[in-house]
Amino acid sequence: MNGSVSAPGKAILLGEHAVVYGKPAIAIPLPQVRAVADFRLNETALTIVAADLQRPPWQWDDSATVSSDPLASMAALTLQHLGICAPKGEITIRSAIPIASGLGSGAAVSAALGRAIAALCRATLSNAALNALVFEVEKLHHGSPSGIDNTTIVFEQPVYFQRGQPNHRISPTRRLDFLLADSGVPALTRESVAAVRQSVREEPARTNCLLDQIASVAVAALASLEAGDRMRLGELMTANHGHLRELGLSTLELDTLVKAAMQAGALGAKLSGGGRGGNIIALVEPAEASAVKRALQLAGAKRVLAASVGGG
Ligand code: MEV
């Protein structure tokens, strides 16, 4: 049996980092950049090939367990959950989601792999179960994730997410257009989350005040999204960039991209994801999108992606 399954990237619209501390945040899936897992039943032990991820092929053996390797961990956890032995076959993972750029590459690869293993085993794996498994892998390899990345990626829906609360899927009434611009600087979310944790320890009053301000912006943004108020949403995004900057999460490259987007007519712009590198996200009117894209390229963006949500 051969086939192909996948999972999208994601972008955080507002509320990153504060979401780790139980505050709300909003994220959208990026269906046009995906991790894809092609699977093929054969007579050899389960083999996972992921050349894009710069790693040698990995072959299952029955002593394989949750380990320091995210793919091996995902395979072991999925089979444990399904309660079956490893199937014979090969899974080839390709990903168009840049690594260490805040777009959810790790969670998307885990989700695609979980789906491929279930398909090879002809087993049913619900999105709720897959989400829990991907979250386990995120916890093993990314420190203390909030769960927003795996939730957005597995359900492939815009979410208003708060740890410990039921998922609130958002359907914006009006179409919203975004541009994501890559600073080209790789940055590990694990490290930026650890840096914020250190600030919480060393400067609790200031850091907690910023995290509270981010939470207020996310709450206000939900109302703007539901009301289709693009201007207000843009203002909130730019305000959120200021908070993240004060938390030490921006860089010269990210600030330059935010400024270029705003000067070219974006309604709002901010870094997206862990920060200290990776991408910015800008909200644009469709008529301004190509001017903003050009400005971002001139300001040094290594790649500009368009994304949209809502509006039926
Ligand atoms: C990363 O996409 C978002 C962070 O808030 C971390 C997390 O929520 O796990 C920085």
Side-chain angles (χ1 to χ4, degrees):
M1 189 199 16
N2 300 344
S4 192
V5 287
S6 68
K10 65 86 198 153
I12 309 268
L13 206 49
L14 290 118
E16 51 273 89
H17 288 286
V19 68
V20 172
Y21 298 87
K23 321 276 186 209
I26 299 174
I28 59 170
L30 299 174
Q32 67 277 56
V33 282
R34 309 189 72 85
V36 177
D38 299 319
F39 55 90
R40 189 163 61 88
L41 215 48
N42 63 22
E43 286 311 312
T44 52
L46 176 64
T47 305
I48 302 171
V49 180
D52 282 358
L53 308 178
Q54 276 105 46
R55 38 168 298 143
W58 177 86
Q59 197 163 53
W60 178 268
D61 77 71
D62 282 335
S63 61
T65 167
V66 175
S67 69
S68 59
D69 180 297
L71 294 186
S73 303
M74 186 65 200
L77 284 168
T78 306
L79 289 167
Q80 215 173 69
H81 170 81
L82 296 173
I84 37 189
C85 305
K88 295 202 184 312
E90 184 172 285
I91 298 175
T92 304
I93 298 181
R94 300 171 274 124
S95 178
I97 310 166
I99 298 169
S101 71
L103 301 185
S105 139
V109 165
S110 294
L113 175 59
R115 286 182 171 139
I117 290 176
L120 267 182
C121 297
R122 296 174 204 266
T124 303
L125 182 61
S126 69
N127 278 343
L130 179 64
N131 194 30
L133 294 170
V134 177
F135 187 45
E136 282 310 306
V137 177
E138 294 281 286
K139 281 199 277 191
L140 284 167
H141 302 287
H142 299 286
S144 53
S146 62
I148 191 170
D149 291 8
N150 46 284
T151 303
T152 311
I153 284 166
V154 169
F155 291 98
E156 202 161 343
Q157 286 255 358
V159 289
Y160 178 82
F161 178 92
Q162 192 163 10
R163 233 176 164 156
Q165 303 288 325
N167 294 335
H168 177 143
R169 316 238 171 105
I170 312 173
S171 311
T173 42
R174 287 182 65 191
R175 181 184 153 115
L176 298 166
D177 293 281
F178 299 100
L179 293 173
L180 284 130
D182 196 336
S183 67
V185 179
L188 293 176
T189 300
R190 183 179 56 235
E191 289 173 5
S192 61
V193 169
V196 173
R197 193 164 296 287
Q198 189 175 346
S199 304
V200 170
R201 262 198 316 271
E202 290 174 358
E203 292 184 278
R206 179 177 176 277
T207 311
N208 286 321
C209 175
L210 283 165
L211 296 175
D212 285 341
Q213 287 173 29
I214 295 176
S216 311
V217 158
V219 172
L222 177 63
S224 311
L225 271 168
E226 285 175 343
D229 186 348
R230 287 196 284 233
M231 295 291 277
R232 180 73 186 130
L233 181 62
E235 285 164 12
L236 292 166
M237 287 172 64
T238 309
N240 193 184
H241 183 71
H243 304 133
L244 294 165
R245 223 171 153 257
E246 286 198 47
L247 283 171
L249 296 164
S250 195
T251 60
L252 180 60
E253 290 84 355
L254 292 168
D255 285 344
T256 303
L257 292 175
V258 166
K259 195 165 158 203
M262 295 306 290
Q263 283 175 347
L267 299 172
K270 63 180 278 291
L271 72 83
S272 179
R276 295 172 133 201
N279 278 261
I280 67 128
I281 184 165
L283 175 64
V284 292
E285 294 285 12
E288 307 296 334
S290 45
V292 177
K293 180 174 178 182
R294 233 182 353 265
L296 286 166
Q297 285 164 334
L298 286 172
K302 299 295 174 280
R303 149 163 131 154
V304 181
L305 261 180
S308 67
V309 293

